[in-house]
């Protein structure tokens, strides 16, 4: 069973930066899609950024220009570099991965990011 474990969340002031990491028990490069989602209190879970197996990235409009998604071969992680954080970025951030073989999706438990002064 594949496991995804997020880390790196915490409390940060507006304008600050955080890097989230998602460690996988299978090569992060083996997934057809790997992504970060977030869910703010009282809101639905939404896509923040995704990367395909060939490295194509996609960002939510709210993340463009501020967040960068990447995969690390050395650490076998999916990372999300977040700069210029705003209070509206406060949410639980979830790691997501989709496998083609077998056809299955996986979610991490989430890591809380709080942006507040």
């Amino acid at each position: 069973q594949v496991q995804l474990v997020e880390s790196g969340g915490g409390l940060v002031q507006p304008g600050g930066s955080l890097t989230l990491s998602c460690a996988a028990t299978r090569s992060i490069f083996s997934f057809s899609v790997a992504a970060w989602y977030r869910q703010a209190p009282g809101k639905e879970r939404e896509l923040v950024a995704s990367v395909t197996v060939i490295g194509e990235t996609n960002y939510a409009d709210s993340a463009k220009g501020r967040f960068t998604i990447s995969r690390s071969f050395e650490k076998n992680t999916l990372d999300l570099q977040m700069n210029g954080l705003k209070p509206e970025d406060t949410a639980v951030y979830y790691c997501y991965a989709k496998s083609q073989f077998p056809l299955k999706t996986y979610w991490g438990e989430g890591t809380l990011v709080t942006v507040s002064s």
Side-chain angles (χ1 to χ4, degrees):
Q1 177 71 4
V2 173
Q3 290 186 318
L4 304 174
V5 180
E6 303 96 334
S7 62
L11 174 64
V12 62
Q13 292 188 340
S17 298
L18 275 179
T19 299
L20 306 182
S21 288
C22 171
T25 55
R26 171 177 145 180
S27 171
I28 198 70
F29 292 87
S30 70
F31 298 109
S32 58
V33 177
W36 286 96
Y37 283 75
R38 69 185 183 187
Q39 187 166 18
K43 294 189 176 181
E44 293 189 353
R45 194 171 296 190
E46 62 177 3
L47 176 68
V48 177
S50 64
V51 58
T52 69
V53 65
I54 61 171
E56 295 172 322
T57 57
N58 180 56
Y59 294 90
D61 287 344
S62 59
K64 287 179 182 176
R66 299 188 299 130
F67 295 0
T68 303
I69 191 170
S70 62
R71 296 169 295 176
S72 169
F73 179 79
E74 292 78 11
K75 297 183 295 180
N76 195 39
T77 57
L78 177 72
D79 300 323
L80 185 69
Q81 173 68 44
M82 305 186 292
N83 299 323
L85 284 162
K86 306 174 182 179
E88 50 264 44
D89 294 317
T90 294
V92 177
Y93 284 70
Y94 297 91
C95 182
Y96 163 91
K98 179 179 180 181
S99 167
Q100 288 296 120
F101 304 103
L103 185 60
K104 198 168 183 179
T105 58
Y106 306 94
W107 289 94
E109 296 283 315
T111 185
L112 177 63
V113 172
T114 304
V115 184
S116 175
S117 56

